[in-house]
Amino acid sequence: MAADQAGPVVTTPYGSVRGRYERGVAVFRGIPYAAAPFGPLRFRPPRPPEPWDGVRDAGTFGPTAPKPPYSEAFAQYLSDPEIPGDDCLNLNVWTPEPGPGARLPVLVWLHGGALTRGSSAVPVYDGGTFARDGIVCVSVNYRLGVEGYGLFPDAPPNPGLRDQLAALIWVYETIAAFGGDPDRITLCGQSAGAVSAGALLAAPRTQGLIRRAVLQSGPPEVSDRDKVRRMVRRMAARLRVPATAEAFAAVDRGLLLRAQAEVGRLGSPVLGGPAFGIVVDGDLVPGDPLKALTEGTAARDAELLMGWTRDEYRLWLVPGGLLERVDRLGAVALAGAMARCHAGPDIPRGYRLLHPGAGTAEIVGQLVTDHLLRVPLHRLADARPGASYLYEFAWPSRLPGLGACHALELGFVFDTGGVPESKKLAGEGAPQEVCDAMHAAWVRFATTGDPGWAAWDATHPVRIFDDGGPRVAHGPRDAEVALWATASAVPEPPRHSVPRAPGAELASAMRRLRRSVGALRR
């Protein structure tokens, strides 16, 4: 590492970069880890960037991947900066000691956003707080939506996930120059970022690259290839072009994003519908990541930190008033959730008995949250030979109706609760002691592999983060999770078939609910 009056200078495999000192840590933003994925590289796996001469300025965030903006209903809660430019495959590094020899633990952050939105430039994800506490923090931009996860007959699948792999390899090969230890990499993600982290953790090509992983509000999973194809075909129909990468590459970028947003508005984490996702590709993702991690040999010794928020579903249902609409729909909404989760009648009946005073929206939301998040994370913890640590974020937002919703915990993880973008979800007066506890747990885990409470065992310890002080509850939601193992369920249809609801009334319920979501998101 060298330094001049403008800031620290570090040499990467493609050229030198100059960062900035901010609040006592060195920050390098917008470092390219791959070439711009446009022109002949569009819809293709990432390629190395062109080397540069001299010292490249790394003082500002690089371009963000093309993405549609959030709807007005969601934009009041979530921030998503857009930075123009083609060189969107870039990353940022925060380090307390920018030079070889420090050998500090490394935390690599993959943002969420349903694989269609988000970026490393969101102020909530300021890695300076981790660097302040002795960790080299790296955040990554990757291709989104149809550019990153479209499924075409004339292009390889999962280019966005391949971007993340390229970034991870860059970190492994380069991070020592920034003060990091390549043998102590913790791969972290939230929501779609956690799904990505799980897929990479299970991938044969990453074995030996990842020492630990944090999965927040997202399990290792793959999407049905037909579901992703339908998303592409619906876009193609709107654009009046063939459903091929060659045809999509010829479409104006803004028009492509508008078509993606229009088709995607009918989808929802609660209700399903068309969506982009990681698919089995026989290469980077040779099979189901959850199965590889629970039944195979993938990352057997890696420590895992896994968590969820108590009321994940409220971010999906509160914006635009969908929560109240689900309550009004009553049995129809419950039938739709049963179809979404392939749940037999005993499962919602069990939820009613466990929560006798809950409204339909709460039952639907918790049922879907358990199906999507808690059940697979419990299953993963049960099956792992390596240590697993589970937690629940339960502090409720100060804003009406949100509770402890999806993404609320991120300002606590990064200790950035004071920035305006965190307050959009948390409101005013978020308790610093909860922030301190959660951030410290991630720091300890990235540093030692132990976040500070008992590892998962037969007693099912779960650390609860709320304003009630430090505590560990044993299986706080075991009763709900157990329903999925003991109650009847409708088998999930084969991957190659079109999913069908267990009964015509459930299929009708799904169509009605999706139309409601689409109307509220216009």
Side-chain angles (χ1 to χ4, degrees):
M1 190 274 292
D4 59 25
Q5 293 181 350
V9 176
V10 172
T11 299
T12 80
Y14 305 105
S16 297
V17 291
R18 179 185 291 111
R20 303 287 189 274
Y21 281 108
E22 299 176 4
R23 297 185 298 278
V25 304
V27 187
F28 302 81
R29 296 183 175 92
I31 305 172
Y33 65 85
F38 298 104
L41 298 183
R42 200 168 183 189
F43 300 110
R44 300 293 162 180
R47 294 290 183 266
E50 287 292 327
W52 59 87
D53 296 324
V55 179
R56 181 186 183 116
D57 184 72
T60 60
F61 286 113
T64 54
K67 56 191 174 180
Y70 280 114
S71 68
E72 185 178 346
F74 282 90
Q76 65 179 310
Y77 299 113
L78 301 173
S79 296
D80 196 8
E82 182 178 352
I83 302 173
D86 286 351
D87 287 314
C88 60
L89 300 186
N90 58 72
L91 52 77
N92 318 294
V93 180
W94 289 263
T95 175
E97 194 171 338
R103 308 292 290 185
L104 298 170
V106 180
L107 186 150
V108 177
W109 173 251
L110 303 177
H111 67 80
L115 299 178
T116 58
R117 295 179 174 88
S119 79
S120 64
V122 175
V124 178
Y125 309 151
D126 186 339
T129 56
F130 282 104
R132 174 198 68 197
D133 295 325
I135 292 174
V136 178
C137 182
V138 181
S139 60
V140 178
N141 282 338
Y142 54 93
R143 278 175 283 183
L144 303 169
V146 71
E147 301 275 1
Y149 297 92
L151 192 55
F152 299 100
D154 57 338
N158 300 321
L161 189 69
R162 295 172 192 275
D163 294 343
Q164 296 169 0
L165 174 63
L168 184 62
I169 293 172
W170 185 98
V171 170
Y172 186 80
E173 294 177 346
T174 309
I175 205 62
F178 291 85
D181 184 347
D183 294 324
R184 287 200 289 167
I185 294 174
T186 300
L187 183 63
C188 309
Q190 183 265 349
S191 193
V195 174
S196 301
L200 290 173
L201 185 68
R205 291 169 63 182
T206 68
Q207 301 310 297
L209 297 182
I210 304 167
R211 181 66 190 88
R212 305 180 178 101
V214 183
L215 308 182
Q216 166 63 45
S217 298
E221 66 178 14
V222 287
S223 294
D224 177 17
R225 292 175 68 94
D226 286 341
K227 181 178 179 180
V228 179
R229 283 196 188 99
R230 286 198 300 275
M231 187 76 170
V232 172
R233 288 169 182 162
R234 291 178 186 184
M235 287 183 63
R238 287 182 177 274
L239 296 167
R240 298 183 180 180
V241 299
T244 64
E246 181 182 13
F248 273 49
V251 175
D252 173 79
R253 199 179 299 177
L255 183 60
L256 197 65
L257 289 176
R258 287 193 293 274
Q260 177 182 304
E262 184 65 18
V263 171
R265 70 180 176 80
L266 297 177
S268 162
V270 174
L271 308 175
F276 291 111
I278 297 166
V279 298
V280 172
D281 57 22
D283 174 23
L284 179 56
V285 188
D288 182 350
L290 183 59
K291 186 174 182 179
L293 290 168
T294 55
E295 301 177 18
T297 59
R300 300 293 282 176
D301 297 326
E303 298 101 346
L304 300 184
L305 178 61
M306 301 182 286
W308 55 81
T309 71
R310 186 190 61 197
D311 308 310
E312 298 270 4
Y313 67 95
R314 287 186 171 269
L315 182 63
W316 306 325
L317 294 182
V318 167
L322 191 57
L323 190 78
E324 293 78 7
R325 184 168 294 196
V326 169
D327 270 333
R328 288 197 301 270
L329 286 171
V332 174
L334 188 57
M338 292 168 62
R340 170 78 172 105
C341 300
H342 309 283
D346 289 347
I347 292 177
R349 190 178 300 126
Y351 277 76
R352 288 289 192 196
L353 291 173
L354 289 168
H355 305 280
T360 299
E362 182 178 348
I363 295 294
V364 165
Q366 293 291 8
L367 187 150
V368 174
T369 298
D370 286 343
H371 172 70
L372 294 178
L373 297 176
R374 296 190 186 99
V375 171
L377 292 181
H378 273 66
R379 178 185 167 197
L380 182 54
D382 283 337
R384 296 288 297 165
S388 296
Y389 302 87
L390 271 64
Y391 66 86
E392 177 176 287
F393 181 82
W395 181 82
S397 170
R398 303 295 192 206
L399 300 179
L402 288 179
C405 68
H406 190 72
L408 175 61
E409 81 290 348
L410 294 175
F412 294 77
V413 166
F414 281 86
D415 191 10
T416 52
V419 304
E421 291 77 8
S422 287
K423 295 178 181 180
K424 289 176 71 172
L425 265 183
E428 296 289 343
Q432 184 61 41
E433 59 271 20
V434 180
C435 187
D436 291 343
M438 192 164 193
H439 177 72
W442 280 52
V443 169
R444 282 194 300 266
F445 181 75
T447 303
T448 68
D450 182 349
W453 62 90
W456 188 258
D457 59 17
T459 68
H460 292 186
V462 177
R463 172 67 159 92
I464 308 297
F465 291 99
D466 61 15
D467 53 10
R471 61 193 175 97
V472 174
H474 290 275
R477 292 191 59 82
D478 275 357
E480 290 90 335
V481 172
L483 281 171
W484 294 94
T486 59
S488 64
V490 177
E492 187 169 352
R495 290 286 188 187
H496 63 271
S497 68
V498 176
R500 297 194 179 277
E505 71 281 2
L506 298 190
S508 175
M510 290 295 288
R511 287 193 292 271
R512 290 172 62 185
L513 279 172
R514 286 174 184 158
R515 284 196 295 270
S516 295
V517 172
L520 287 168
R521 288 184 172 178
R522 285 193 182 100

